């Protein structure tokens, strides 16, 4: 058995060019220029099996992420300057990763320190700077527990019959009825804004708690003539898709990665993705927009056009791809996985090299930012999206009436020949729609199905 080096540097060859002095060029001349600057052949080769070594087995870095962008706008703005600064901030971490490296030359997942960090976030006390986020305490618990579940493979998250039995399902049904709007969407709170987050959260609750799909009699939408929580919901989501192809929080809003996930997940609860997503959204423009959010050379995702890479979009955009794949590739008898429309390898590399605070634990937006439980949760969820293959199998019982479409998912790990992760860098998978453990989804739905009505 070959000895694995504890730490081995494998530098990425980036072209030597000055961002400040770079002038716009036509695509053809720009490609020629970049071809002349690349000093090594990055095309993978298949060696003789008898001569295979650890070095030979290292996945190649996609060419897109070894160069600066092929096309640059000559207009200098605050946004373009911040983008240039972000590239220069990330390149050293990608070229010379910190901490102990795995066999692929990428920083190992600092699991122990991240677990300690999340334990501290649960126990408290929180730093004074968290005071404005006091209303988000329930979210902080979710972020920390989900992060711990992803990191500690044997961890049992909070749940069980006693926890589920504390939920006032009838009260929740009436509350959601008050949030349902005549437009088709849901408001976030009484008198609050109406956006896609409300629709996603509302349908998640209805689905997991097995609530009636009919609106309660005291619902304003019911009084105005609507019959169910689904009335006008898909048309409302359709109006959230923008001219760019992405999805905004509400009609006429700017396209945003997190809202794209909420829309796709909401539709995946209503019906199987191949029915609900493809019949509601314009797929070519949506795929184009989602793909364009994976920045080069950083290789992580941004959340909006002309915005900076941010670790949290590892989930908000990275998590969209399982739903998109299920929409485009209805389950068949074929065991061959469809080709990816994004770079799993690139995302994993950005997460492990740029998003880890290897000194005190936790994960972050980018190297210059502080870690927090929000980013720790969603960066790890994005790493899970890169490491795992989610497949969807529609079953006979899965119809619209009970909002059961999202219970047809399964998961399997993707081999390390596609991503730069060893076993020690693996995280557990969360449900691609609900973003909680698969076990928690099954437990909640089974429990409330047995309880039946109120």
């Amino acid at each position: 058995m070959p000895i694995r080096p504890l730490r081995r540097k494998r530098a990425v060859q980036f072209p030597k060019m000055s961002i400040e002095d770079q002038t716009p060029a036509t695509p053809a001349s720009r490609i020629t220029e970049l071809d002349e600057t690349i000093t090594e052949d990055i095309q993978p080769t298949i060696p003789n099996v008898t001569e295979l070594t650890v070095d030979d087995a290292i996945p190649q870095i996609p060419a897109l992420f070894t160069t600066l962008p092929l096309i640059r706008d000559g207009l200098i703005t605050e946004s373009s300057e911040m983008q240039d600064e972000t590239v220069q901030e990330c390149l050293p971490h990608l070229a010379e990763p910190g901490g102990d490296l795995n066999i692929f030359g990428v920083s190992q997942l600092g699991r122990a320190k991240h677990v300690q960090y999340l334990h501290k976030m649960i126990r408290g006390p929180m730093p004074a700077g968290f005071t404005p986020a006091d209303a988000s305490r329930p979210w902080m618990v979710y972020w920390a527990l989900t992060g711990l579940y992803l990191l500690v493979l044997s961890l049992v998250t909070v749940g069980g019959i006693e926890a589920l039995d504390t939920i006032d399902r009838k009260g929740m049904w009436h509350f959601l009825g008050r949030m349902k709007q005549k437009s088709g969407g849901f408001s976030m709170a009484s008198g609050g804004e109406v956006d896609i987050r409300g629709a996603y959260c509302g349908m998640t609750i209805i689905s997991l708690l097995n609530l009636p799909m009919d609106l309660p009699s005291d619902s304003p939408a019911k009084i105005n003539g609507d019959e169910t929580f689904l009335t006008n919901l898909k048309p409302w989501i359709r109006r959230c898709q923008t001219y760019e192809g992405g999805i905004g929080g509400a009609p006429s809003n700017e396209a945003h990665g997190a809202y794209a996930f909420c829309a796709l997940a909401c539709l995946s609860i209503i019906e199987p993705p191949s029915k609900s997503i493809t019949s509601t959204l314009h797929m070519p423009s949506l795929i184009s927009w989602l793909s364009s959010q994976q920045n080069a050379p950083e290789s992580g995702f941004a959340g909006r056009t002309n915005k900076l890479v941010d670790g949290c979009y590892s989930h908000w955009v990275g998590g969209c791809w399982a739903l998109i794949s299920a929409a485009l590739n209805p389950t068949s008898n074929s065991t061959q996985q469809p080709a990816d429309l994004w770079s799993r390898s690139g995302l994993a590399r950005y997460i492990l090299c740029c998003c880890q605070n290897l000194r005190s634990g936790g994960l972050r937006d980018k190297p210059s930012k502080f870690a927090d439980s929000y980013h720790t949760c969603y960066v790890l969820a994005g790493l899970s999206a890169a490491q795992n293959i989610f497949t969807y199998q529609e079953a006979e019982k899965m119809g619209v009436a009970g909002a059961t479409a999202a219970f047809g998912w399964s998961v399997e790990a993707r081999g390390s020949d596609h991503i730069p992760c060893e076993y020690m860098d693996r995280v557990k998978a969360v449900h691609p729609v609900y973003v909680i453990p698969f076990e928690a989804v099954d437990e909640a739905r089974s429990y409330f199905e047995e309880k039946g009505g109120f």
Side-chain angles (χ1 to χ4, degrees):
M1 178 180 295
I3 298 176
R4 293 181 176 180
L6 179 61
R7 179 175 177 81
R8 175 168 53 78
K9 297 291 187 180
R10 183 173 185 269
V12 180
Q13 297 296 321
F14 289 98
K16 296 180 179 179
M17 58 179 72
S18 170
I19 289 181
E20 291 79 2
D21 299 333
Q22 188 178 352
T23 57
T26 62
S29 63
R30 189 75 180 87
I31 292 172
T32 301
E33 176 188 350
L34 291 171
D35 285 343
E36 294 173 351
T37 63
I38 298 176
T39 59
E40 65 175 358
D41 181 11
I42 60 173
Q43 296 300 320
T45 58
I46 303 176
N48 187 310
V49 175
T50 60
E51 300 174 354
L52 184 64
T53 66
V54 171
D55 286 336
D56 293 326
I58 293 175
Q60 298 294 324
I61 303 169
L64 175 64
F65 305 123
T66 63
T67 67
L68 294 171
L70 298 180
I71 302 174
R72 280 178 54 82
D73 193 329
L75 179 64
I76 298 176
T77 65
E78 181 180 355
S79 294
S80 68
E81 290 176 340
M82 292 177 66
Q83 172 60 26
D84 292 344
E85 292 171 1
T86 300
V87 169
Q88 296 296 352
E89 174 186 333
C90 293
L91 286 185
H93 295 269
L94 294 166
E96 294 290 330
D100 293 333
L101 306 187
N102 63 22
I103 64 170
F104 305 113
V106 172
S107 300
Q108 293 178 359
L109 179 66
R111 189 184 309 273
K113 288 188 176 180
H114 300 328
V115 168
Q116 291 175 356
Y117 174 82
L118 290 172
H119 279 160
K120 182 173 66 176
M121 296 301 289
I122 291 176
R123 292 194 306 266
M126 294 290 187
F130 281 79
T131 301
D134 183 66
S136 297
R137 286 189 183 188
W139 277 115
M140 293 178 185
V141 173
Y142 163 75
W143 296 329
L145 288 177
T146 302
L148 286 169
Y149 175 82
L150 286 158
L151 287 166
V152 185
L153 304 188
S154 61
L155 181 73
V156 178
T157 54
V158 174
I161 302 303
E162 291 184 0
L164 295 175
D165 209 35
T166 64
I167 299 173
D168 180 0
R169 294 170 64 226
K170 187 173 183 179
M172 185 64 72
W173 181 56
H174 281 280
F175 168 76
L176 292 175
R178 295 194 298 273
M179 299 305 103
K180 174 67 176 177
Q181 303 297 305
K182 181 65 177 177
S183 63
F186 289 71
S187 60
M188 290 293 295
S190 181
E193 68 272 31
V194 178
D195 69 40
I196 195 66
R197 295 173 299 170
Y200 168 53
C201 291
M203 292 309 301
T204 293
I205 294 169
I206 290 169
S207 177
L208 290 177
L209 301 190
N210 192 27
L211 299 181
M213 195 60 69
D214 292 335
L215 289 167
S217 59
D218 60 348
S219 168
K222 175 77 170 181
I223 296 172
N224 287 327
D226 290 352
E227 294 296 328
T228 75
F229 284 103
L230 297 179
T231 303
N232 294 324
L233 179 54
K234 286 174 64 177
W236 183 83
I237 293 175
R238 182 182 297 115
R239 295 199 301 274
C240 292
Q241 189 169 20
T242 76
Y243 71 95
E244 292 184 279
I247 299 170
S252 77
N253 284 10
E254 180 184 12
H256 190 285
Y259 297 139
F261 176 82
C262 289
L264 291 170
C266 180
L267 290 170
S268 297
I269 294 172
I270 296 173
E271 290 177 306
S274 61
K275 297 178 181 178
S276 60
I277 293 177
T278 56
S279 66
T280 304
L281 302 172
H282 185 260
M283 298 302 291
S285 60
L286 174 59
I287 292 170
S288 175
W289 185 85
L290 287 171
S291 297
S292 69
Q293 301 314 305
Q294 191 160 21
N295 286 6
E298 307 98 292
S299 69
F301 284 106
R304 291 180 285 166
T305 301
N306 289 329
K307 292 297 183 180
L308 306 177
V309 65
D310 184 333
C312 71
Y313 295 111
S314 301
H315 163 68
W316 293 123
V317 179
C320 289
W321 292 111
L323 310 181
I324 292 289
S325 179
L328 297 179
N329 303 282
T331 303
S332 66
N333 294 325
S334 173
T335 58
Q336 184 176 1
Q337 292 294 333
D340 286 325
L341 300 173
W342 59 297
S343 175
R344 296 172 183 267
S345 174
L347 179 60
R349 189 175 297 275
Y350 176 74
I351 289 172
L352 293 174
C353 294
C354 295
C355 292
Q356 295 193 86
N357 183 333
L358 294 171
R359 185 174 182 179
S360 55
L363 291 103
R364 59 200 179 193
D365 167 347
K366 55 179 67 70
S368 61
K369 302 296 184 180
F370 292 105
D372 56 60
S373 56
Y374 167 85
H375 282 89
T376 300
C377 170
Y378 291 122
V379 171
L380 290 172
L383 184 59
S384 175
Q387 292 177 347
N388 295 289
I389 298 292
F390 297 91
T391 55
Y392 183 79
Q393 176 68 55
E394 183 178 356
E396 289 293 331
K397 67 175 183 178
M398 294 181 183
V400 175
T404 60
F407 299 116
W409 290 91
S410 59
V411 62
E412 62 181 83
R414 191 176 183 94
S416 60
D417 56 327
H418 295 91
I419 54 174
C421 297
E422 289 188 88
Y423 177 78
M424 68 185 72
D425 305 315
R426 291 276 172 179
V427 295
K428 198 166 184 179
V430 288
H431 194 283
V433 173
Y434 301 116
V435 201
I436 59 176
F438 274 86
E439 303 92 324
V441 172
D442 294 339
E443 181 181 41
R445 185 64 189 193
S446 297
Y447 177 72
F448 291 119
E449 278 184 343
E450 290 179 2
K451 286 184 71 73
F454 302 132

